[in-house]
Amino acid sequence: MDLKLTELNLEVQRIANEFSQKTLKPLAREMDRKKNFPRELVSEMGKLGLLSGVLPKRYGGKDFDYVSTALAYEEVGTVCSSTRGFMTVQIGLVAMCISDWANEEQKQKYLPKLASGEQIGCYCLTEPEAGSDVAGMKSFAKKTENGFVLNGTKHWITNGNLADIALIFTYTDKEAKHKGMTAFLVETNSKGFNRKKMEGEELGHRASDHAFIEFKNMEVPESCVLGKVGDGFKIAMGALEHGRIGVASGAVGILRGCLEASRDFVRNRKQFNSRIGDFQMIQANLAEMKVSYEAARLLTFSAALKKQAGENSSLETSMAKYFATESAMKAASDAVLIHGGRGYSDEFPVERFYRDIKGLQIYEGTSHIQRIIIGRKVVGKP
Ligand SMILES: Cc1cc2nc3c(=O)[nH]c(=O)nc-3n(C[C@H](O)[C@H](O)[C@H](O)COP(=O)(O)OP(=O)(O)OC[C@H]3O[C@@H](n4cnc5c(N)ncnc54)[C@H](O)[C@@H]3O)c2cc1C
């Protein structure tokens, strides 16, 4: 594995770092407190190319590669997981999925607007009765003469209330199980597409938008099908492979955020006539964070390089997501402890990192599910 960052990698990292430190950092705590995701951020990220993923220029992209995209997620994740989560859905779950599966007309119609931030996308897979077990979904699209009629509900849909387009997964043939699912690319102003905010106060990602969506006799033309009828499961899993690199990189960002905040804190805070950073127990915590950060980053780059080479990266992506989110969970817990009482309020960002990281362990396949994927690959079970 060649780990030397290229000129392109360094340039994308620089752009993302400048955006994160200068624009996002001063806003992140207020966004979390007000539970608000400013629309202007989307346009700004679009202008900077931070929503382009690996899209080529002919579809409004910047010809970035997977490592550059991972670096952009890391920089943003260091400051605000709600914004990094927005990016991962917009790029990984929606734009890259359209890029992999859509026909030319759909690509021309949607990709440039997603890359520029003119349009927002959401990915509608999870249902109240179907989370980890996607096959448990109840949503159904009935074939009609001109297209399909969709009925069903989805929940926890990130960007769902903001989105202009929705990638929706339903059964079209329940008997065929995984081979009976179909993906639809639908405009959210379609009649029968109803949405509202998720009920309840959320632990983290408080600036993110999460929606409950209902399709009620929603008529869509045949041209809304993404890929082919029956390809839905493959398409949903392919999108998650893109998205999980984004989540792993976001967790790497949280690891770095915890490490940097804790380092700065322990250099200044004095107890027992000494900087707390001079105590070996505190140094041990920081050493663990540093090793976890470097290891999680290498696993994430390894997944990104595999994807860049056009190879199946489901094992590497799951390993990166699993390790990065689990170690960031531990780092965030330690970072709050290291800050003592101050870590318990949002005076310091570690409090928000501690709440946000739990979401990364859950969405796009929980840590249990990642271990199932990895374990099956190890023993050779399909
Ligand atoms: C902040 C946030 C954003 C999200 N954004 C989106 C989005 O944009 N689009 C979308 O479609 N969904 C989204 N989700 C939903 C998310 O993907 C699901 O919550 C997740 O897949 C888990 O499903 P579930 O909540 O139904 O839990 P369940 O599947 O019911 O799982 C409950 C528990 O059982 C465990 N479990 C389940 N099956 C097994 C098994 N076979 N072996 C061992 N343990 C198992 C799980 O790991 C978990 O611990 C989001 C969720 C959150 C919290």
Side-chain angles (χ1 to χ4, degrees), residues 123-126 131-132 156-158 210 362-364 366 368-369 372:
Y123 171 91
C124 310
L125 183 65
T126 307
S132 304
W156 277 112
I157 306 306
T158 303
H210 298 123
I362 295 170
Y363 53 64
E364 303 205 23
T366 64
H368 296 136
I369 297 303
I372 290 173

Side-chain angles (χ1 to χ4, degrees), residues 238-254:
L240 289 174
E241 233 181 80
H242 288 292
R244 283 171 188 161
I245 295 185
V247 181
S249 309
V252 171
I254 291 181

Side-chain angles (χ1 to χ4, degrees), residues 2-16 64-72 75 301 305 308:
D2 182 6
L3 293 173
K4 196 167 175 320
L5 295 184
T6 63
E7 294 272 314
L8 174 68
N9 297 156
L10 293 169
E11 178 58 9
V12 176
Q13 186 184 40
R14 188 195 60 73
I15 295 169
F64 292 164
D65 55 20
Y66 282 92
V67 172
S68 302
T69 309
L71 288 163
E75 290 300 327
F301 285 166
L305 287 171
Q308 190 66 38

Side-chain angles (χ1 to χ4, degrees), residues 4-229:
K4 196 167 175 320
L5 295 184
T6 63
E7 294 272 314
L8 174 68
N9 297 156
L10 293 169
E11 178 58 9
V12 176
Q13 186 184 40
R14 188 195 60 73
I15 295 169
N17 177 274
E18 200 171 302
F19 165 75
S20 303
Q21 296 300 320
K22 291 197 177 147
T23 305
L24 199 53
K25 202 169 183 174
L27 299 176
R29 186 171 66 174
E30 273 317 287
M31 284 166 57
D32 185 72
R33 282 184 178 175
K34 292 191 174 146
K35 305 184 175 99
N36 174 41
F37 190 74
R39 185 70 174 77
E40 311 84 77
L41 281 183
V42 181
S43 316
E44 174 136 15
M45 284 191 284
K47 271 194 213 124
L48 294 170
L50 295 176
L51 300 178
S52 309
V54 300
L55 291 178
K57 288 194 173 132
R58 69 178 182 284
Y59 296 127
K62 301 263 185 202
D63 283 333
F64 292 164
D65 55 20
Y66 282 92
V67 172
S68 302
T69 309
L71 288 163
Y73 289 133
E74 176 187 330
E75 290 300 327
V76 175
T78 305
V79 173
C80 174
S81 289
S82 293
T83 307
R84 199 277 315 146
F86 174 93
M87 287 170 77
T88 304
V89 172
Q90 176 89 348
I91 301 171
L93 296 185
V94 182
M96 295 317 303
C97 185
I98 294 175
S99 169
D100 285 349
W101 294 92
N103 59 38
E104 192 54 32
E105 195 187 334
Q106 290 167 321
K107 286 185 192 180
Q108 295 286 355
K109 187 171 178 189
Y110 295 115
L111 291 177
K113 288 184 180 167
L114 288 168
S116 68
E118 193 183 325
Q119 286 199 330
I120 294 175
C122 67
Y123 171 91
C124 310
L125 183 65
T126 307
E127 300 188 358
E129 303 306 325
S132 304
D133 180 13
V134 174
M137 73 165 60
K138 301 227 170 0
S139 291
F140 193 79
K142 189 170 184 296
K143 184 82 191 81
T144 60
E145 208 177 309
N146 303 318
F148 294 85
V149 177
L150 272 62
N151 277 290
T153 50
K154 301 284 176 183
H155 76 166
W156 277 112
I157 306 306
T158 303
N159 305 346
N161 292 295
L162 305 171
D164 304 284
I165 57 169
L167 191 51
I168 300 170
F169 298 89
T170 72
Y171 272 113
T172 38
D173 176 1
K174 189 99 186 149
E175 299 296 299
K177 299 198 171 147
H178 295 85
K179 290 190 175 156
M181 286 179 201
T182 299
F184 295 90
L185 197 49
V186 171
E187 304 202 353
T188 54
N189 58 8
S190 306
K191 194 161 169 252
F193 186 97
N194 305 312
R195 52 188 165 177
K196 60 180 181 182
K197 271 204 96 54
M198 285 295 293
E199 304 241 331
E201 287 286 317
E202 290 161 24
L203 175 69
H205 290 71
R206 288 190 178 161
S208 293
D209 165 51
H210 298 123
F212 179 91
I213 299 178
E214 185 182 34
F215 324 116
K216 228 173 178 179
N217 296 324
M218 183 169 77
E219 292 180 31
V220 300
E222 187 104 32
S223 59
C224 283
V225 172
L226 182 69
K228 289 203 230 76
V229 171

